[in-house]
Structures are given as C-alpha cells and as structure tokens.
Amino acid sequence: MKLCVKNLSFSYGFYSQLFDHLSFEVEEGECLFIGGANGSGKTTLLRILAGLQDFSSGNIHVERAGKFFSRFPREYLQTESNGLFCHLSAFQNLRFWLDTQGQKVNLDTLSKEACEWGFTNPFVFKSLAVKRFSTGMKKKLSLMRVFLSEAPILLLDEPLNGLDETSCHLFFKKLEQLKERKKIIILSSHGRLGLCEKVISHKLFLSSFEEARRVE
Amino acid sequence: MKCSFLKQTVVFMKHYARCELSSKERFFAPLLFSATLLVMFNFSFGESIPRGYMVNIFVAEVFITLLFSLQLSFMRQFDLESEDNAFEVLRVSNVSYYALFLGKYFVSVISILCVVLPSVFLAWFFLAADLVDVEFSFYFYFSIFAALLGLSALGSLISALLQKLSGRELLYPLFFYPLGSPLFLLAQQIALFALEGKEIFSLLLVLLGLDLFYLVLALLLFDEIMT
C-alpha cells in the first residue's frame, strides 16, 4: 500500500499560491517529514491529506494491490487542538475513539499504555476530566489516541508541541514501532528534528510562496 | 477492524449520554429556564382567567415554555465537539455520519424529555385547582413526545449547520422557528384536542409523518454537512 500525491496545487486566492504541482509517494512502513517555516503550508497540506480542506488541482489516492482508492482510513493529530471531549476522563475519551473504530478495548493494554505516557495515577487517568489537564497531558492523550488506532495512515501536525523531553523520546520510540507495524506516517514540524532523524524515510521542505521547494 | 452501523450508533448513544451526565448544566439550564417562564406566566395571569379557558391556557403555557427551552437546549447540541475541535477528528475518522447523528438524536430526545416532563408537571401544578375535571390521556403526552421527535431532528441539524458560525445565537432562531413551527402548531393543536376529548388519530398520523420527514431530511443533510 502507498499514499500517492500527484500535482497537488493549493492557493488562497489568485496571488497567494501555497504550493504548486506538489508530488510525492509514501509507502507502508515509511515516514515522511514535512518541514518549513511558519506559514509555508505544512498544516494546510496535512489538512488536505486528512480530507478537511479542498485543493485547487491534483490528485490524492491510496494504491493497494493495483487498485486506487480516493477515500481511505486515516488518523489526524491537529496542531492547535487535540480533538478531546473535555468533560470526560482520559480513559473515557480513549474508549470512545477506539469503540467507534470497532477496536476491542483491553483495559490492561490501555492502562499499560497510559503508564508509559506518564498517566501513572489511576484517578487522573480514569476519573479526572480532561479539561483539568495541562497542555502537554492533553497532547499525550491525543497521541495515545492516534497511536492506538488501527488506521493505516497517520497524519501528525506538529506532534512535539507541548511535550516534555521524556515524552519526546517516547514519541520517537513509538514512531519506530509504528513503522514496524507498516503504517504510513506523515509528520510536520517547523524544526526540532533531533532524534526523529533516524525514523524519517523522506523529507519534504515547503518554502513560503515563490521560493524553491526541496524534496530529499 | 470494521464497526457495524448499529454498533457505532450504540457507541455514539452511550458516549453522548455520558457527556450529558458529565456536564449537568446542559440539563439544568433549560429546565430552570422553563421553570422561570412558567412561574412568570402564572404570576402575571393571577386570578383573571375565566375557568373555561384553563385548558387552552395550560396547553399554551406548556408549548410556549417548551419552544424557548428547546431552542436553548438544541443550540448547544454540538458544543462538546467544538470545545477541543473533536468535530474535525470525527470528520477524519472512519465513522458513519448517520450513526453519529442517530446517536446524538436519541440522546437528545431522552435528555429533552427530562426537561419537558418536569415542565409539564410544573405547569399542571400551578393550574391544578382549575384542571381537576380534565382527563390527561395518553395521547396528550404522546403528542408532546411526537413533537419532540421531529423537533430534535431539526434542532440537531441546525445546530450542526451553524456550529462553525460566529453569529449562531442570532441565526439559530431564524432557522429553527420558521422550520419548526408547522410541527409545533400541529402538536399544540393535538394536545389541546386530546385534553378536550376530541378525535385526534388522523392528526397524530400527520404529526408522525412530519416527524419521519424531518428525521430523514436531517439525516441526509447532516451527511452533506460533514462531507
């Protein structure tokens, strides 16, 4: 299976072309890093891939066993929000998202995963409303949702925002595990690659407006 | 792993029921609003109403109170999804939008019933002395329930439609009142006829037909909104 983007163009009106004829492919078990300065279109590109934003022209599809699919299951981690239900607990949030996907919730697996991400206090994980969580805790919970999902394509927009050093290390470890599970991972960041380098298969740098684009 | 439509509907129902229970102000705000309206109505009428009009006044009080408190309740239908942008995650996720809407709809009907029933009781309580001869048949309560079935579908749809707009407090009544009034007027008339002991069966069928129409329309348009 591979995600193919061909000749993708997007502009906000006539004068602000964000990207033009952008093409790339990501195969299963690969991780694409999208870099670039603020305003270069990283979030817009991920929103387009998530199906949340229309694009001017081009084609996005998944190729699987010689067949092409324009609609495909994916998980999206937003940068500015976490997609959580703030009145519910962390456990209730995770259970809901996994239930909607038909994934059987194993309490032990969830608790183990939660402990790994630093939710060691059962009261905090099972009973405390998410609205009382810090920014980092919300981000970690959101990452848990994405990582536990069985969707084959993961779109992570600025996943390191708000995370502490330990959580960043855990994030990179989890990325490696996801690659082994043959997931297609696309993540964006405005910098701070650090330990991420070794899990990245391809890099795509978006430049603001008319500057050249560089794909490695 | 694929989740069946029915299972997803149940998951959404459970989830929204949990959300309703965890944010109690969503239930108490319309209930207190209804109670306040009813108290104000009854104090302003005082002893001046002729006894022959008591049934009309009772039905009018109940339905006017419901009209305003339902709007208050429906307008907040998708607030939980907006708080942390969960709506967008739902759009990206592999979920059935019909299941999502139906889950929300069923919970909305039940939670609004929890507002409506105490309101009806309170309205009766204020006028109890003058309503001793009136028989509260099953059809009276059923007409209110049937009105809620259609209005909940309409309310949830408009709430989803206006969810992203900044002026939705202003726009909501502009959509809700004109579109909901046929259903509302019919239900009010049926409730009045039921209390007066008149034949209402054919009117009730029309009301249920309207409910079905609103529900199907809401389901189809909700899918459009999400995609």
Side-chain angles (χ1 to χ4, degrees):
Chain A
M1 187 174 88
K2 65 179 173 185
L3 174 71
C4 308
V5 174
K6 284 184 181 152
N7 296 319
L8 188 73
S9 301
F10 178 83
S11 62
Y12 286 110
F14 187 71
Y15 291 103
S16 55
Q17 184 87 32
L18 215 48
F19 34 83
D20 190 21
H21 292 92
L22 183 69
S23 299
F24 59 85
E25 286 182 0
V26 194
E27 303 231 5
E28 56 186 14
E30 286 186 343
C31 175
L32 171 73
F33 173 82
I34 302 171
N38 298 133
S40 56
K42 300 184 294 297
T43 298
T44 306
L45 178 56
L46 279 175
R47 282 179 63 81
I48 288 172
L49 293 175
L52 291 170
Q53 183 127 23
D54 286 335
F55 45 93
S56 313
S57 63
N59 188 281
I60 301 169
H61 62 261
V62 160
E63 194 184 325
R64 190 177 206 167
K67 289 180 181 171
F68 299 95
F69 304 91
S70 56
R71 292 189 75 168
F72 42 88
R74 59 214 141 175
E75 276 294 340
Y76 174 51
L77 180 86
Q78 305 163 86
T79 175
E80 73 282 1
S81 49
N82 299 295
L84 301 168
F85 288 88
C86 300
H87 291 276
L88 301 182
S89 70
F91 174 69
Q92 285 171 330
N93 265 285
L94 285 178
R95 195 171 66 175
F96 166 65
W97 289 114
L98 295 175
D99 281 349
T100 57
Q101 305 303 310
Q103 288 180 237
K104 210 169 169 67
V105 183
N106 184 334
L107 186 60
D108 289 340
T109 316
L110 267 187
S111 301
K112 202 178 144 198
E113 187 78 13
C115 282
E116 255 191 291
W117 283 100
F119 293 98
T120 44
N121 185 338
F123 170 76
V124 173
F125 183 62
K126 285 184 184 164
S127 308
L128 194 67
V130 165
K131 64 183 172 188
R132 309 235 179 265
F133 282 15
S134 69
T135 311
M137 285 166 82
K138 281 183 191 167
K139 182 62 98 182
K140 284 196 272 186
L141 185 58
S142 199
L143 280 169
M144 276 174 73
R145 169 181 67 77
V146 174
F147 287 165
L148 284 167
S149 163
E150 285 180 356
I153 298 171
L154 307 182
L155 308 165
L156 312 173
D157 193 1
E158 304 276 5
L160 301 179
N161 279 5
L163 291 188
D164 56 25
E165 199 71 22
T166 321
S167 306
C168 285
H169 277 85
L170 184 64
F171 171 77
F172 298 131
K173 196 179 118 190
K174 293 280 176 191
L175 270 192
E176 283 183 41
Q177 289 172 1
L178 287 172
K179 278 183 73 180
E180 283 164 17
R181 282 165 56 197
K182 301 286 179 200
K183 300 259 186 187
I184 292 174
I185 305 161
I186 300 178
L187 67 99
S188 79
S189 178
H190 58 275
R192 279 214 301 159
L193 261 176
L195 289 167
C196 212
E197 286 281 6
K198 61 178 180 182
V199 283
I200 289 167
S201 323
H202 308 285
K203 291 177 198 165
L204 167 70
F205 288 95
L206 297 175
S207 316
S208 47
F209 305 107
E210 278 75 35
E211 285 176 51
R213 211 175 38 249
R214 187 158 52 90
V215 183
E216 289 175 9
Chain B
M1 199 178 287
K2 191 101 177 100
C3 189
S4 72
F5 173 76
L6 198 66
K7 205 173 168 190
Q8 260 188 11
T9 309
V10 174
V11 167
F12 279 116
M13 271 179 73
K14 278 186 189 169
H15 171 70
Y16 286 121
R18 216 173 282 135
C19 287
E20 290 290 331
L21 291 172
S22 65
S23 50
K24 292 181 183 63
E25 71 276 4
R26 286 164 61 83
F27 163 71
F28 282 114
L31 185 65
L32 287 175
F33 184 72
S34 300
T36 312
L37 270 183
L38 285 169
V39 169
M40 280 169 64
F41 271 132
N42 284 285
F43 271 98
S44 60
F45 285 142
E47 299 288 314
S48 60
I49 312 163
R51 210 178 155 78
Y53 288 106
M54 271 306 166
V55 174
N56 300 58
I57 292 294
F58 171 72
V59 173
E61 264 186 18
V62 166
F63 275 85
I64 290 171
T65 307
L66 290 189
L67 182 67
F68 290 115
S69 56
L70 287 184
Q71 187 211 325
L72 196 72
S73 195
F74 289 145
M75 215 159 65
R76 301 161 139 213
Q77 285 280 333
F78 284 91
D79 278 8
L80 294 169
E81 285 85 348
S82 313
E83 274 180 348
D84 200 22
N85 228 349
F87 206 70
E88 294 222 319
V89 182
L90 280 169
R91 281 180 64 196
V92 176
S93 298
N94 192 23
V95 296
S96 158
Y97 299 146
Y98 295 127
L100 196 166
F101 186 83
L102 283 178
K104 185 124 218 154
Y105 170 73
F106 288 130
V107 173
S108 149
V109 170
I110 293 166
S111 66
I112 286 163
L113 263 182
C114 295
V115 174
V116 168
L117 292 178
S119 304
V120 173
F121 173 76
L122 195 65
W124 169 84
F125 175 77
F126 282 123
L127 302 169
D130 300 305
L131 294 171
V132 278
D133 304 332
V134 179
E135 192 190 335
F136 283 85
S137 66
F138 162 77
Y139 289 111
F140 168 72
Y141 295 104
F142 188 74
S143 66
I144 295 176
F145 177 68
L148 292 183
L149 290 179
L151 289 170
S152 288
L154 181 68
S156 302
L157 175 73
I158 299 173
S159 184
L161 190 72
L162 302 178
Q163 190 229 348
K164 288 256 172 186
L165 300 180
S166 52
R168 67 192 168 120
E169 283 83 4
L170 189 75
L171 288 170
Y172 198 94
L174 292 178
F175 281 91
F176 183 66
Y177 292 144
L179 291 172
S181 53
L183 231 159
F184 213 80
L185 292 173
L186 184 60
Q188 189 181 13
Q189 206 59 44
I190 294 171
L192 187 65
F193 286 172
L195 290 183
E196 288 173 348
K198 291 180 184 169
E199 171 60 40
I200 53 162
F201 188 70
S202 52
L203 282 176
L204 210 51
L205 282 181
V206 176
L207 182 61
L208 289 173
L210 265 179
D211 285 342
L212 191 66
F213 171 73
Y214 276 67
L215 181 60
V216 171
L217 191 75
L219 269 172
L220 295 175
L221 288 177
F222 185 73
D223 190 55
E224 281 297 309
I225 293 169
M226 293 294 276
T227 49

